[in-house]
Amino acid sequence: MKKLLITLTTVASIASLTFAANATYSLEKANDNELNLLLDSNSDVYGLQFDLNYDASEIKLSEESINHMFSNGDSRSNMSVYSKIKTPGLARVIMFDLSGEAIITSDNAENILSMNIEKLSASNTFSLTIDNVIMAGLHGSEIICSDSQTFDFNLMDSTSPIETKIV
């Protein structure tokens, strides 16, 4: 009996590693004043938190300018998005739904957040870094994702971002 329990425990551990929840994210330029956060996951995502670092002399970002992208007819339209400009150049964003609705479902890629920015400098290029990323699945289970990525943008270029660096 003891061997059976050890074998079942080992098989369950291997199975859980094989089916680990993973997600990726990216920032895309929608237009010269708007960036969208694209989320792709092999598991349902119920919660998201990250820090957004940027040069406050190049662009302006406000708490009111970060919103979910779900239409009124979407069951996720009541999704809560909280953002706080902690210091100029650092915003913390948290997204979840108190009723338990998933932000995205498994094996799905979707734009989930819109960030309106205001250009402040004469330069047409700027960078944003997303770091301290925490994603949660059902019942708070961990979803593995890159902890930090830098996205470089050029407002004169229609493609976006011009370069992505995983830190």
Side-chain angles (χ1 to χ4, degrees), residues 58-75:
E58 292 178 345
I59 62 169
K60 179 181 178 184
L61 184 67
S62 70
E63 295 165 356
E64 298 80 25
S65 68
I66 303 172
N67 299 291
H68 69 70
M69 296 183 67
F70 307 122
S71 64
N72 287 338
D74 191 319
S75 62

Side-chain angles (χ1 to χ4, degrees), residues 21-26 28 37-45 48 103-112 135 143-146:
N22 292 294
T24 59
Y25 58 90
S26 63
E28 301 174 343
L37 180 72
L38 175 77
L39 185 58
D40 184 6
S41 178
N42 68 356
S43 179
D44 292 356
V45 176
L48 170 66
I103 297 171
I104 66 165
T105 55
S106 63
D107 300 320
N108 194 9
E110 188 173 0
N111 283 319
I112 61 165
M135 285 190 208
I143 297 178
I144 300 166
C145 64
S146 172

Side-chain angles (χ1 to χ4, degrees), residues 12-23:
S13 296
I14 292 169
S16 69
L17 291 175
T18 305
F19 300 108
N22 292 294

Side-chain angles (χ1 to χ4, degrees), residues 83-149:
S83 58
K84 176 75 174 161
I85 306 297
K86 297 177 75 75
T87 61
L90 173 62
R92 172 151 302 153
V93 180
I94 301 171
M95 184 175 189
F96 63 91
D97 184 62
L98 285 174
S99 67
E101 188 76 32
I103 297 171
I104 66 165
T105 55
S106 63
D107 300 320
N108 194 9
E110 188 173 0
N111 283 319
I112 61 165
L113 284 174
S114 169
M115 295 174 243
N116 290 311
I117 59 169
E118 180 182 337
K119 180 182 154 190
L120 299 176
S121 72
S123 172
N124 285 316
T125 61
F126 62 94
S127 297
L128 291 111
T129 299
I130 293 178
D131 61 7
N132 301 319
V133 180
I134 300 170
M135 285 190 208
L138 186 62
H139 303 298
S141 61
E142 178 184 12
I143 297 178
I144 300 166
C145 64
S146 172
D147 183 48
S148 182
Q149 289 188 64

Side-chain angles (χ1 to χ4, degrees), residues 1-6:
M1 185 66 159
K2 190 174 184 179
K3 286 183 181 181
L4 178 62
L5 288 175
I6 292 171

